[in-house]
Each structure stands twice: as structure tokens, then as C-alpha cells.
Amino acid sequence: MLRWLIVLVAAVVAALSGVTAGYAAPPDVSDQDKAFLIGAHQDNLAEIQGGQLAERQAGKQSVKDAGRKFVEDHTSLDDQLKRVAEKLGVDLPGKPSEEQQAELRQFAAKSGTAFDRAWIDAQVTDHRKTLVSLDKEVSSGSSLEVKNLARDAKPVVQEHLNLVESIQSGE
């Protein structure tokens, strides 16, 4: 009888552990964390597309080179972000925001010096805003993983800002 009871208890425990493992609650992710992930993903998508435009349409080699660097770096940052978002169950949009798409269309209509000036000016503004967003997430986000993502992205974004400011001041 004792042997039967042990087998029964073991079977119930095994069955319940399988059921609960399949229905584990997702980690706690605040609305701020979700908004950060979505916004940062859209920023990355816009930076990748804008960088590709810079590679094709810029007049100065320094702007073309910055575009290539942005494509590489934002692709890498976005790959990390997508892994965190997937793990946390946050759905990401497939394209930049409407505002970002409108800005990209404006860049696409320019080439040479006109492109360089418009793109570099926008990059200075956008990267400054991104640094503020990163700082906000690091200081007041809820998810340690999302906060670490923001913290790790900050030096890359700062490097980009330094780069575009140096190109801007050299014009």
C-alpha cells in the first residue's frame, strides 16, 4: 500500500509540474519597459534605413561612413533588443513609426550636400533624444534586463552622437 501511495504521489507531482511549467507567468515588465523596447526597436529600424540611405546618397565620404557604421551598430543593438523583447513577451512592430517614416522619405528625396546637411542635423537631434530615453529607462525602468539593454546601448549612441557632431562642426 505504501508503495502504491508513493507511486501515486510521484505521478501527481510529475503531472502537475508539467502543467505548471507550460503555464509559467511571464516576467514582470512595466508599461515603461514595453514602451522603451518598442520605441528603441523603431529607432533602430529607422537608423538602419537612414544609414542605408546615407551610404547611397550622401555627398561626403564621412557621412557615407557614418551611415555604414549606424547600420552595423543599430543592427547589432536591435538583435539584442529583439532577444530581450521575445523573452519578455513584448511584441515589436515591423517598421519605424509614422513620424520616422516621414523623415526617411524626406531624406530619400535628397542627395549630395543637401542630404548630408539634413541627415546629420537629424542624427544629432535624434541621438540626443535617444540618450535621454536611455537614461530614463536605466533610472526608472522595472525590468533589470531592459535596464541593462539601455545601459549597454548608451556608449554606442554616445559614440554616434560624437561622430555626427564632429561631422556637423566640420561642415
Side-chain angles (χ1 to χ4, degrees):
M1 177 77 171
L2 182 59
R3 178 187 235 181
W4 180 82
L5 185 58
I6 292 171
V7 170
L8 179 62
V9 169
V12 169
V13 168
L16 288 177
S17 67
V19 169
T20 57
Y23 294 101
D28 241 0
V29 183
S30 70
D31 287 343
Q32 177 183 323
D33 294 333
K34 289 177 190 173
F36 173 81
L37 288 170
I38 291 167
H41 174 63
Q42 288 180 305
D43 287 347
N44 285 330
L45 294 177
E47 291 298 337
I48 292 164
Q49 290 177 28
Q52 291 167 338
L53 285 171
E55 288 181 275
R56 289 192 308 268
Q57 295 175 217
K60 289 178 141 183
Q61 188 61 46
S62 61
V63 177
K64 290 176 186 267
D65 293 344
R68 183 175 44 259
K69 178 164 185 51
F70 285 16
V71 170
E72 292 170 6
D73 291 349
H74 284 280
T75 298
S76 176
L77 289 172
D78 204 50
D79 288 345
Q80 295 167 34
L81 185 147
K82 288 187 288 191
R83 283 192 294 273
V84 170
E86 183 178 349
K87 181 177 180 182
L88 299 178
V90 176
D91 291 329
L92 298 174
K95 57 187 176 185
S97 71
E98 291 298 325
E99 181 181 329
Q100 291 164 328
Q101 289 178 57
E103 186 176 59
L104 289 166
R105 285 190 295 274
Q106 290 175 353
F107 297 148
K110 298 179 186 324
S111 63
T113 304
F115 177 91
D116 293 355
R117 209 171 298 119
W119 189 75
I120 289 295
D121 289 348
Q123 293 311 307
V124 169
T125 300
D126 292 346
H127 282 80
R128 286 179 180 161
K129 287 179 185 174
T130 299
L131 286 171
V132 170
S133 174
L134 293 171
D135 286 340
K136 179 182 176 193
E137 180 60 29
V138 168
S139 68
S140 60
S142 299
S143 166
L144 184 59
E145 287 177 286
V146 179
K147 289 170 74 161
N148 286 339
L149 194 66
R151 185 177 294 112
D152 293 347
K154 188 172 179 179
V156 176
V157 175
Q158 183 64 59
E159 179 186 9
H160 289 183
L161 177 59
N162 295 346
L163 176 61
V164 292
E165 284 178 336
S166 73
I167 293 170
Q168 187 181 53
S169 67
E171 289 187 340

